[in-house]
Every structure is written in C-alpha cells, then in structure tokens.
Amino acid sequence: MKKVFVTKEQIEKAAEKFPTPFHIYDERGIRENAKAVNEAFSWNPGYREYFAVKANANPYLMDILRQCGCGFDCSSAPELVLSGAVLEAPEEKSPDGSRIMFSSNDTPEQEYAIAARMGAIINLDDITMVAHVENALRKMAKEDGREWDGRFPKTMSCRYNPGGVFAMSNDYMDNPGEAKYGMTHDQILQAFSMLKERGVEEFGIHAFLVSNTTSNDYYPALAGKLFELAVELQDKTGVHISFVNLSGGVGIPYRPEDKANDIRVIGEGVRRKYEEILVPAGMGDVSIYTEMGRFMMGPYGALVTKAINEKHIYKEYIGTDACAANLMRPAMYGAYHHITVLGKENAPCTHVYDVTGSLCENNDKFAVDRKLPEIEMGDYLYIHDTGAHGFSMGYNYNAKLRSAELLLQEDGSIKEIRRAETARDYFATLDGTPYYNRLDFRSLGC
Ligand SMILES: *Cc1c(COP(=O)(O)O)cnc(C)c1O
C-alpha cells in the first residue's frame, strides 16, 4: 500500500486557509532521502547531487536541498537566476558558482553569458555550442569594457550520446539514437580538444540515457560506459577529467506494485565500476555528480484536490477541482499516479472511476478505470508522487490557474510556500491594452 504523509484532519485544517487544489510537500521525507543519497555516494569525496530544477522550481524546497549540500542543475536563464538566489543564503560563506550546472540544450547564445558570469559549470549539448560560448564570452567582455583574452572558463563539461540502443540486463532499454541530446563519440573527442585549446583545464562528461528507471542497475551500467569513455578521452586528448555526471533518470515507484530503487545499492554499484575502470587508469580523483530530479522530490509531493462533480453516463466519472494544468503527466504520457481517498485509506475498492479535471480535453484524466472506494462529493483525493514534474509542468490552458504549494514542515505545521495564482496574474501580460481595464476582476474575486 502506498503511504500518505498527511492525514485527512491536517488537510481539512489546511484547506480552511488554502482552498484546494494545492500541491503539498513533506520536508522530513525530502531531508531523509537527500541524506541517504549523500551517504550512498560518500565513498567519493567529490560527490555532489545537482538537483534538476525543472523537476520542482520552488525556492523553499530548493533551499532544503541546498542545506543538504546539493547544487542545482539548470537549463534556462530563469532557472540559473533562481538557483543563484537560493545559493545566496546568508549562511553560505562565499558564493560558489560551481554548485550550479548548466545542462541546457538548443541553448540561446546569451544564456551562456549568464551562466559564465555566475561561475556555473557549462555542460555543452553539442559541438556547435563551442562557437556560441565563444561569441557569448566575447560579447560579455565587450559589455564589461574589457578585451577578451580568448580563454574559456576553467571547468567545462560535454554531454555524450552513445547512439543506438541502451539495454540493460532486466529489459530496461531506451533509444539514445533517437534522442536529440548530446554529442557523438567522435564529436566529444573533438570538442575536448577544442576546449583544451581554448584554455579549459578541468573536464566533465555527462549523459542521460533512460528516464524513470526502476532498476538499481541503471546508474552502474551508465557509469561503466562513461568511465570507459573518460579513460579514452584522457588518453587521446591529454585533458584532466575531474568529474563524471550521471545526470537524472533514477526512478520512483509510482504504482503500488513497483519496487523502489535502493540508492545504497546504486551507489555501491557505481563504486564497483569506479574501482574496476577508473582507479586502474590512475583516475581515482574523479568526482561523481548526479542531477536527479524525480528521485529527490517525486515521492515527497502530492496534489490534493476535492471531488466536486459526479457523472454517470457510459462510464462513471468523478470531477475534481484540479486539472491537467496542475499535473500534466497523466495527460501527456498516460502516466500512472496513485490516488488515495483521504479518510478511506482502508475502505475496499468497490467502484471503478475515471477521475477527471475540467479542461475541454478528453485526456484530462488523473485516472482511467481506477478501482477506488466509493467517492462522495467533498472527499479529498490525494494524488501521489507529484513532487517532481508536477507543479513545475503547470500551464494555463483554458485559463486555468496554477495552484498554491504548501510545505508540511518537520514540526507538523503547514506553511504556504507559493500562493495560488489569481486571474490578475493570468491577465497581467495584457496590462496596458484597452481590454485590461474593462476586465471585471471583482466577479473573479481578485
Ligand atoms: C530532466 C533532467 C534531469 C532530471 O531527470 P529526472 O528523471 O527527474 O531525474 C537531469 N538532468 C537533465 C539534463 C535533465 O534534462
């Protein structure tokens, strides 16, 4: 049975102040998991998790991870700036840009200047990006009124795509050959040489081959591949490789029958490959980095929504006050999210429902043909595992508004960490047009 981290009573009390729908997060769960992750890789002195900000860009949650020693993996200018703000916490002694990884793709040139200015580690998705970084650095120097000496940042990284099919022992596979990311083997060799010529001294390699793996073998298998590549790159180009970034992809058990990954087993599997491949090559100083999003946050968030309509046609429907704009994964990928009817945790699942949102889109269903206890109007539905790629994937289709985000703190109190969007926020980009002043905000309650 999948566990809920709040009680019906806690939700009822919270809902008096913060109307549903909302995402709620579990501080204790986030902290305990982050600690387990750090422990699993503690054999590697340079280890760092760079939390993938796209999974959940709430600064309060990012700050919890910062306190656990994490850095941040960004792929856009606003994510960089947000991460910079979180890392500027008063207790951080000196700003350390290397706690930010910039793993973008299809990157607008000017974003490299923002990353470089912050001292973030730039992870190049493609060999053509070398020229873009060059342009960005030249422009940046000009803006600052100085002559550019032609040197790139001291530390840079490149993203690798091995192509073909990536298969592991237990049926897990994906198709890197069809993925838009990373460089080919020959390109990464060439890119390393180009970067070396431009003054780069410390190199990293990165790859992300399979998403949401529920297997303890994914990271070790990927590490094996990347460690072999690291040895080859160091031999052939003479550069110093200072880190291997295993990126994201470690999955979580969305379904009750899924087996959870054991991060200790994963860490140990990576250690074995390290001892087997890197240490004999004299590369025992390489740091391991990860960029997990889902594994760090997914299970520690839930979308709480109220059943507000029921409909009996060819099927039985329960309509909620949330929609795919609050949680897109079911509509976008047909992803499974477990649902618990709060207060009915132990009731028998006697009914079969489609649980829907209100978008004028037939894929706006949180669950299809789901066996659940009988749902009454006003029941709170707890949609599990929305901590990653949940709120952050939100959008405004049908003029639906983004929900609030709440944090269940370690002392049991609930704090609002982002207010709900209002119609004023939604219409703000029309301010200055003749229509804006004619909008009847009063009837929208804002
Ligand atoms: C999405 C992404 C991640 C995080 O992936 P998860 O599956 O959430 O762990 C990490 N790195 C990059 C570059 C990504 O695009």
Side-chain angles (χ1 to χ4, degrees), residues 62-63 66 72 80-97 99-100 118:
M62 291 167 67
D63 204 34
R66 176 195 62 79
F72 300 108
L80 284 169
V81 168
L82 181 66
S83 301
V86 171
L87 288 168
E88 248 181 53
E91 68 267 30
E92 294 289 336
K93 282 169 244 53
S94 57
D96 179 5
R99 274 178 83 170
I100 299 178
M118 295 174 77

Side-chain angles (χ1 to χ4, degrees), residues 250-261:
V250 178
I252 57 169
Y254 284 102
R255 292 172 185 270
E257 66 271 22
D258 288 346
K259 203 164 166 281
N261 285 322

